[in-house]
Amino acid sequence: MRLAFIGGGNMGEALLAAVLGKGIAAPAAIVISDVAEARRQHLLDKYAVSVTPDNRAAIQDRDIVLLAIKPQNLSAVMSELRGKLRPAQLVLSIVAGARISAIARGLDHKCIVRTMPNTPAQIGEGITVWTATSEVTAEQKGWVRAIMGATGQEIYVEDEKYLDMATAVSGSGPAYVFLFVECLVEAAVNIGLPREIAEALVLRTLSGSAHLIEKSGKTPAELRRMVTSPGGTTAEAIAHFEKGGFASLVSEAVQAAHEKAKKLGEQIT
């Protein structure tokens, strides 16, 4: 397949590296358009792909046009590309919050896939939720599965509403995890552990626990109960979490993120 990347930032580069690393496309089949000369030079030097500052030139003779730009730049890019796409060209968007209807209007185009990846895609450990318009063919869906699957896991959904929900969970979720890690490390330091040891304990505990959930066949609740002996140290800590309304706080935070995602989507026209 022949790809054009409109935008070569961090997520665009993560997808580029995954596509090349998995052999989905060769460097000769990829062109990247980016406004920053330094960024273009970096991508040219590191990946040997074609680069250009011209979005219209980039999309010529491409099977897939991958929009990897910031939401605030989307309107200008769509205005530039409007009417320049062939009907069968697949537009694959990773633009946060940008709904299919807005992309379709802005580009005057119908063959569109909207995705919600997350930052662990940068190390091949991401997860992407995506959906497609009816004009997207089975072959093109296969391309999307290959591209997004190269960065981790991918989940296809029929209803676009799940993309805003995924934004609040998996899209923003890494930041929630990072915040918890920050807090747990600081708590460990506060009771006297050296920071280096505290960080090692927290990170390994987090990654090991995640793998245990995946491999044990047990639910998180079951595993939590197995660790929580009555009257023990874990029970004491869990009681304090519950007293502070931990579960309610998490629920309220995700709900707030979901509402914000919907509002941001309404603002992109």
Side-chain angles (χ1 to χ4, degrees):
M1 67 184 78
R2 297 164 298 175
L3 295 93
F5 285 70
I6 308 300
N10 290 334
M11 284 302 294
E13 183 177 359
L15 285 169
L16 171 64
V19 164
L20 293 174
K22 297 290 185 179
I24 295 169
I30 298 174
V31 59
I32 300 179
S33 176
D34 197 276
V35 295
E37 182 179 356
R39 193 65 186 165
R40 294 196 302 271
Q41 191 64 48
H42 162 74
L43 296 170
L44 173 63
D45 293 343
K46 186 171 183 178
Y47 301 102
V49 294
S50 298
V51 296
T52 178
D54 189 335
N55 291 332
R56 291 182 178 179
I59 68 171
Q60 297 299 313
D61 300 318
R62 302 293 107 179
D63 300 307
I64 301 173
V65 176
L66 199 155
L67 300 179
I69 52 179
K70 294 179 179 179
Q72 59 265 34
N73 297 330
L74 179 60
S75 293
V77 168
M78 290 194 300
S79 178
E80 186 179 3
L81 297 181
R82 183 180 175 86
K84 303 301 180 181
L85 292 158
R86 290 178 285 103
Q89 278 183 291
L90 175 64
V91 172
L92 195 165
S93 171
I94 66 168
V95 182
R99 295 179 179 172
I100 286 175
S101 58
I103 297 171
R105 285 194 304 271
L107 292 174
D108 189 22
H109 192 71
K110 295 180 179 180
C111 187
I112 300 168
V113 163
R114 177 188 170 190
T115 73
M116 181 64 245
N118 64 2
T119 54
Q122 296 177 27
I123 59 167
E125 294 289 342
I127 187 163
T128 299
V129 179
W130 63 283
T131 192
T133 60
S134 59
E135 287 78 11
V136 177
T137 67
E139 181 183 25
Q140 289 171 327
K141 286 181 178 179
W143 295 345
V144 176
R145 289 191 177 94
I147 292 170
M148 305 316 296
T151 66
Q153 296 183 32
E154 51 82 22
I155 299 174
Y156 173 77
V157 294
E158 291 283 353
D159 196 325
E160 189 180 4
K161 71 179 182 182
Y162 294 121
L163 273 290
D164 287 334
M165 298 176 191
T167 299
V169 179
S170 58
S172 299
Y176 312 156
V177 176
F178 302 151
L179 176 60
F180 184 73
V181 168
E182 287 181 70
C183 293
L184 192 52
V185 168
E186 289 304 318
V189 171
N190 288 341
I191 63 172
L193 277 169
R195 183 169 296 276
E196 183 177 331
I197 294 175
E199 290 175 350
L201 291 176
V202 171
L203 290 177
R204 189 59 181 175
T205 298
L206 183 73
S207 62
S209 299
H211 286 133
L212 183 60
I213 293 172
E214 290 181 329
K215 297 179 180 180
S216 68
K218 294 180 172 61
T219 67
E222 288 175 316
L223 292 170
R224 174 175 54 81
R225 286 193 291 269
M226 289 170 60
V227 178
T228 311
S229 303
T233 58
T234 308
E236 188 72 15
I238 295 295
H240 277 75
F241 277 130
E242 292 175 342
K243 183 179 179 181
F246 183 76
S248 295
L249 187 59
V250 171
S251 180
E252 290 167 8
V254 172
Q255 181 64 40
H258 181 217
E259 292 301 321
K260 185 68 172 181
K262 291 191 291 184
K263 289 180 182 178
L264 290 174
E266 292 168 358
Q267 294 170 9
I268 299 175
T269 59

